[in-house]
């Protein structure tokens, strides 16, 4: 969730995001600069979207550049590793293996009136004009529909057990976040979660619903999560380990 203290005056921003480019050892490196009022130090991290730099607001351009140059070898090495670990791109044609709920399904494409359905372990797409781009678009649309139906079902079960209910459940397409819950009780879940094993989907749903009871990450919050999702530690581990795979498309 995104914690926001609504009592804080809005004049001074708490956080900012900015995409930047720097040349390190002759190589152009794109990075996301995240400034926050709470940070005290500069931190570098390589995530699914490449280099992320977290810094306090007071850090100037010179100091920022100096830190990046000093760590340039580390940054370039880590980026190379991340590139190498990236899953191979999906070829959207008949026979392609696709992840669904921790298992594998196979793409099947045929010509005809537009339709998409899962039959056993086969995602059957029928397209008026089959081709990689059309198959990809149709498959992604099917994934989103499948994700929403699945997430709504899990949300309903868990909300009932917790004696609460979100005001809204919708899908997100975020690159780094799996779920969020805002102060009005609206829950958003990343559609890519439908690729993860069921216990991992359960965890993210449980996490966001637990925020309806504890709007923080306190020990009390984790007790609520554990009540409906005892395997939450394994699930968090899986999300960290498999994030790149789940983001392959
Ligand atoms: Zn949270």
């Amino acid at each position: 969730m995104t914690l926001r203290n609504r009592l804080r005056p809005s004049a001074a921003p708490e956080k900012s995001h900015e995409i930047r480019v720097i040349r390190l050892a002759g190589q152009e490196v794109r990075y996301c600069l995240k400034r926050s009022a709470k940070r005290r130090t500069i931190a570098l991290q390589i995530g699914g979207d490449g280099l992320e730099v977290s810094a306090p607001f007071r850090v100037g351009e010179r100091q920022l550049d100096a830190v990046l140059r000093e760590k340039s070898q580390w940054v370039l090495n880590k980026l190379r590793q991340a590139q190498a670990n990236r899953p191979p791109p999906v070829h959207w044609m008949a026979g392609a293996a696709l992840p669904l709920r921790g298992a594998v399904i196979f793409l099947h494409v045929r010509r005809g009136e537009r339709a998409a359905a899962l039959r056993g372990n086969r995602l059957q797409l029928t397209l008026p004009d089959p081709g990689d781009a059309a198959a990809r678009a149709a498959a992604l649309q099917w994934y989103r529909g499948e994700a929403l139906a699945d997430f709504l079902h899990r949300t309903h079960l868990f909300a009932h057990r917790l004696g609460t209910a979100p005001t809204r459940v919708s899908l997100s397409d975020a690159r780094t976040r799996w779920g969020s819950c805002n102060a009005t009780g609206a829950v958003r879940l990343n559609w890519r979660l439908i690729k993860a094993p069921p216990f991992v989907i359960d965890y993210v749903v449980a996490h966001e619903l637990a925020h309806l009871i504890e709007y923080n990450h306190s020990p009390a919050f984790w007790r609520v999560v554990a009540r409906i999702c005892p395997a939450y530690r394994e699930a968090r581990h899986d999300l960290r380990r498999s994030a790149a795979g789940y983001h392959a498309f």
Side-chain angles (χ1 to χ4, degrees), residues 1-2 179-181 203 207-208 211 216-217 221-222:
M1 75 166 195
T2 321
S180 66
C181 175
Y203 159 66
H207 181 122
E208 301 313 334
H211 278 316
N216 52 51
H217 290 119
F221 164 80
W222 289 108

Side-chain angles (χ1 to χ4, degrees), residues 156-226:
H156 185 75
L157 288 178
F158 286 161
H160 182 73
R161 282 170 61 190
L162 289 176
T164 181
T167 52
R168 185 162 184 254
V169 177
S170 57
L171 296 179
S172 94
D173 190 34
R175 293 307 296 185
T176 50
R177 262 197 218 160
W178 295 113
S180 66
C181 175
N182 70 14
T184 68
V187 165
R188 301 194 74 200
L189 298 160
N190 197 314
W191 68 266
R192 294 182 180 88
L193 271 176
I194 196 65
K195 302 174 190 175
F199 80 97
V200 176
I201 309 175
D202 279 349
Y203 159 66
V204 178
V205 174
H207 181 122
E208 301 313 334
L209 291 181
H211 278 316
L212 298 174
I213 294 168
E214 293 285 341
Y215 200 59
N216 52 51
H217 290 119
S218 64
F221 164 80
W222 289 108
R223 280 195 294 276
V224 176
V225 173

Side-chain angles (χ1 to χ4, degrees), residues 49-85:
D49 277 343
L51 176 61
E52 246 184 57
V53 180
S54 306
F57 275 106
R58 61 181 163 73
V59 167
E61 296 300 320
R62 275 193 183 184
Q63 195 186 346
L64 204 57
D65 278 12
V67 169
L68 282 167
R69 279 182 218 296
E70 190 196 325
K71 302 273 186 206
S72 61
Q73 217 41 57
W74 180 87
V75 168
L76 293 174
N77 283 340
K78 283 279 180 186
L79 285 174
R80 255 193 302 275
Q81 273 172 29
Q83 190 74 38
N85 292 339

Side-chain angles (χ1 to χ4, degrees), residues 29-130:
V29 175
R30 185 178 162 279
Y31 70 96
C32 177
L33 175 63
K34 294 186 171 179
R35 290 188 187 267
S36 105
K38 284 189 195 137
R39 271 215 85 81
R40 293 284 165 264
T41 55
I42 300 177
L44 309 185
Q45 195 190 339
I46 308 292
D49 277 343
L51 176 61
E52 246 184 57
V53 180
S54 306
F57 275 106
R58 61 181 163 73
V59 167
E61 296 300 320
R62 275 193 183 184
Q63 195 186 346
L64 204 57
D65 278 12
V67 169
L68 282 167
R69 279 182 218 296
E70 190 196 325
K71 302 273 186 206
S72 61
Q73 217 41 57
W74 180 87
V75 168
L76 293 174
N77 283 340
K78 283 279 180 186
L79 285 174
R80 255 193 302 275
Q81 273 172 29
Q83 190 74 38
N85 292 339
R86 195 160 293 179
V90 174
H91 297 292
W92 295 95
M93 47 180 70
L98 305 170
L100 183 73
R101 291 189 195 89
V104 175
I105 58 170
F106 296 93
L107 188 63
H108 192 94
V109 184
R110 66 182 174 195
R111 191 178 294 270
E113 210 170 300
R114 184 176 295 277
L118 185 67
R119 309 224 183 280
N121 67 350
R122 210 161 83 162
L123 176 56
Q124 176 77 63
L125 300 181
T126 315
L127 300 164
D129 189 11

